[in-house]
Amino acid sequence: MFGRSAKLPTIENLHLVNAKTHTSSSWVTYLNHYLPLLHKEIHINIQKSQAQQQKYYNRNRKTKESFLEGDMVLKIKMKDQWKFSEPKFSGPWKVVRITNEEKTAFLLEDASPESRKRKHKAKKTTTANIRDIYKL
């Protein structure tokens, strides 16, 4: 009705027993012989299908970047701060600390030349997730 039709196992090699001529023991023997064959073929079809789906899913995925303390990064500005005449990145920023176990959240310190010229020692810091930063 909707979507593609399912790939069913081939039934050409199945020898159907006439329902009127079988006994319960012959039917059990038949099922014990042919059901594992069907299950194996179904399992192979499912594996092929999942491999194809995984290939399509992973086709345009970015590889996960890893950032270490001391790396220089650019941070994406929030969308409401984007202006046509200005870049959408701020920085450079220096990764000061990784703030979670999955290594996806970071504490960043301003590493721009203007911050180095400031007379007071306090440096500007911010936090960022891995999706919001890019390596220099």
Side-chain angles (χ1 to χ4, degrees):
M1 191 162 145
F2 296 105
R4 285 192 277 172
S5 58
K7 288 184 183 178
L8 299 176
T10 59
I11 57 171
E12 298 154 357
N13 57 356
L14 291 179
H15 305 290
L16 297 177
V17 178
N18 189 353
K20 295 179 183 177
T21 61
H22 71 81
T23 62
S24 60
S25 62
S26 66
W27 184 247
V28 169
T29 307
Y30 171 80
L31 289 178
N32 286 337
H33 178 70
Y34 284 107
L35 282 180
L37 297 176
L38 285 173
H39 286 194
K40 187 184 291 185
E41 199 167 335
I42 290 168
H43 187 68
I44 290 169
N45 284 346
I46 289 171
Q47 286 179 332
K48 285 180 188 175
S49 176
Q50 286 178 342
Q52 188 70 22
Q53 291 168 8
Q54 182 181 19
K55 185 179 94 175
Y56 286 137
Y57 179 81
N58 292 334
R59 184 183 296 168
N60 296 322
R61 300 286 170 236
K62 273 178 42 175
T63 57
K64 184 178 176 183
E65 287 190 83
S66 60
F67 296 97
L68 302 173
E69 293 180 6
D71 283 349
M72 301 298 282
V73 296
L74 291 176
K75 182 181 174 197
I76 298 176
K77 292 180 181 177
M78 292 173 46
K79 286 204 177 204
D80 59 348
Q81 296 175 347
W82 290 8
K83 294 180 182 168
F84 178 73
S85 60
E86 296 178 9
K88 69 177 190 176
F89 295 100
S90 67
W93 297 87
K94 180 180 176 183
V95 176
V96 177
R97 188 175 73 225
I98 300 168
T99 58
N100 66 353
E101 293 177 10
E102 293 83 24
K103 297 184 179 183
T104 58
F106 306 95
L107 178 66
L108 305 176
E109 182 180 87
D110 191 11
S112 63
E114 297 86 30
S115 70
R116 287 185 237 143
K117 292 178 184 176
R118 291 188 193 131
K119 292 185 180 181
H120 62 281
K121 299 291 180 187
K123 294 205 174 191
K124 194 160 91 172
T125 60
T126 186
T127 58
N129 289 327
I130 196 165
R131 67 170 189 253
D132 297 331
I133 58 177
Y134 292 93
K135 276 190 180 179
L136 278 178

